[in-house]
Amino acid sequence: MDWEREEAVPEHVFQNFAKANLLLASLPAPLPVVWLKKLGVSDILGVVKVEEWDSLHSLIFGDEMLRSGLHGPPSSLTTGISFGVPPILKFGSQDLQNRYLPDFLLGKKRICIAITEPDAGSDVANIQTMATKTLDGKHYIVNGTKKWITNGMWSSYATMAVRTGGPGPMGLSLLLVPLLNEPGVEMRLIKITGHRTSGTTFITLDDVKVPVENLIGEEGQGMKYIMTNFNHERLSIAIGSTRSARVALSAAFEYCLQREAFGKPLIEQPVVRHRLAKCGAMLEAQWAWIEQFAYQMTKLKKEEADTELGGLTALAKAQAGIVLDECARCAVLLFGGNGFTVTGKGEIAERKYSMANHKKL
């Protein structure tokens, strides 16, 4: 909570995570075993071998990362590698992987995913950031802006959606774009509700020179790659939102056991128990659904899971936001005036309430 109040996570925390190989736990399962073995990584925390790590392990890791109920600190550590590295692993050339993956996987350099723009959020096909080839065909010149980019402020590179062709989805490509200390790149911090420590960034790109070898996959396939990546992103968000809902409801339950009104604890009021039970039913149903996803992903081939679970994963993310909103509202209501204070007993309820609409987006 102190880190969120101070709006910064100490740098040594990221370094410790990297040394313990915990950054790797945020990647989609199965882990890139061949690459990890090359880098001398054989297990996570000395407990689970990298070749045995599956989606159920990822579920537990994601849930534990949000046990505090705060989204900012976990996001500051893992969002970049979790969402920025998979497209390179799946679609990047061997040369591109050889040049960059060792530093990203070991946490020596940071990466982010840069899709959203001021005028293109959910409408990914409308992205306007242009990447134009030089006359000699050796570089792309990138111009445009990116907004809401988590971890951008600290990232050496971004897996970035750019327009290399005409309008619409077939004109999009993915490019690994240098950021920190790169000529033509300007980055500034955006302060947002509930994620004060996550390094949310506005990026301006002015004639940024990028080698053509940094193209991820093929030109014109960016929309396909982005949609594939969204499955992992959406499930990660659903897991975190559901844990946040549990934190809010647990805090409210504990408060109702302690708080007395009209001569008895709040928990003895039938209407209070009804509200808690209603939210609890929604919460447990949501968690059971997410567990089903994780289990199915251990049984399906990656290509099958991407196809069969894609739409359902989007629904699970949306529903997780609704459940969080309901549990956060319940918590604030039961905390009463304390639920609107940014410090003290109701601080966690206030933070969950302010986060609810963010997660519904």
Side-chain angles (χ1 to χ4, degrees), residues 90 115 121-122 124 225-235 313 317:
K90 295 175 190 174
I115 308 296
S122 300
V124 175
Y225 300 160
I226 292 166
M227 290 297 106
T228 301
N229 209 48
F230 274 169
N231 287 346
H232 172 57
E233 293 183 34
R234 286 165 173 161
L235 189 57
T313 303
K317 172 183 174 285

Side-chain angles (χ1 to χ4, degrees), residues 20-22 24-25 31 41-50 53:
N21 298 327
L22 282 173
L24 304 173
L31 298 179
V41 178
S42 58
D43 57 66
I44 304 295
L45 289 178
V47 177
V48 183
K49 294 179 180 179
V50 291
W53 186 274

Side-chain angles (χ1 to χ4, degrees), residues 51-64:
E51 59 268 28
E52 295 176 357
W53 186 274
D54 62 21
S55 294
L56 291 171
H57 293 104
S58 296
L59 172 69
I60 295 168
F61 175 79
D63 185 51
E64 291 298 325

Side-chain angles (χ1 to χ4, degrees), residues 172-359:
L172 297 181
S173 301
L174 284 185
L175 196 62
L176 189 64
V177 177
L179 294 180
L180 279 181
N181 304 315
E182 185 69 16
V185 176
E186 180 182 336
M187 297 192 286
R188 61 181 173 84
L189 191 66
I190 305 173
K191 291 190 177 183
I192 64 172
T193 298
H195 279 252
R196 297 293 176 87
T197 57
S198 62
T200 305
T201 308
F202 189 99
I203 304 174
T204 303
L205 305 128
D206 184 10
D207 289 340
V208 179
K209 200 173 183 179
V210 183
V212 293
E213 291 81 8
N214 281 27
L215 178 69
I216 299 173
E218 302 176 7
E219 277 196 7
Q221 295 297 304
M223 189 69 174
K224 172 186 173 182
Y225 300 160
I226 292 166
M227 290 297 106
T228 301
N229 209 48
F230 274 169
N231 287 346
H232 172 57
E233 293 183 34
R234 286 165 173 161
L235 189 57
S236 298
I237 293 169
I239 292 168
S241 295
T242 307
R243 166 51 70 175
S244 285
R246 189 176 298 280
V247 169
L249 197 62
S250 296
F253 195 99
E254 183 179 5
Y255 182 77
C256 290
L257 289 171
Q258 299 169 355
R259 173 72 171 179
E260 291 194 2
F262 306 106
K264 57 184 177 182
L266 282 178
I267 198 69
E268 292 186 18
Q269 299 288 350
V271 67
V272 170
R273 295 199 301 273
H274 172 75
R275 284 190 173 276
L276 290 169
K278 179 182 176 183
C279 287
M282 293 180 66
L283 175 60
E284 294 304 335
Q286 175 68 16
W287 186 244
W289 195 18
I290 290 175
E291 285 184 323
Q292 285 182 18
F293 278 109
Y295 177 76
Q296 287 174 297
M297 291 170 72
T298 66
K299 301 301 180 183
L300 294 173
K301 293 181 180 179
K302 181 67 173 64
E303 297 75 17
E304 289 179 303
D306 285 344
T307 303
E308 299 297 329
L309 303 179
L312 291 172
T313 303
L315 288 175
K317 172 183 174 285
Q319 182 65 15
I322 293 170
V323 172
L324 172 57
D325 182 58
E326 190 69 24
C327 291
R329 287 173 180 272
C330 176
V332 168
L333 179 68
L334 296 179
F335 268 96
N338 285 324
F340 291 96
T341 58
V342 295
T343 58
K345 291 182 178 180
E347 181 174 7
I348 192 66
E350 188 275 335
R351 287 186 179 273
K352 292 297 93 190
Y353 184 67
S354 64
M355 272 298 299
N357 282 329
H358 179 280
K359 289 303 172 186

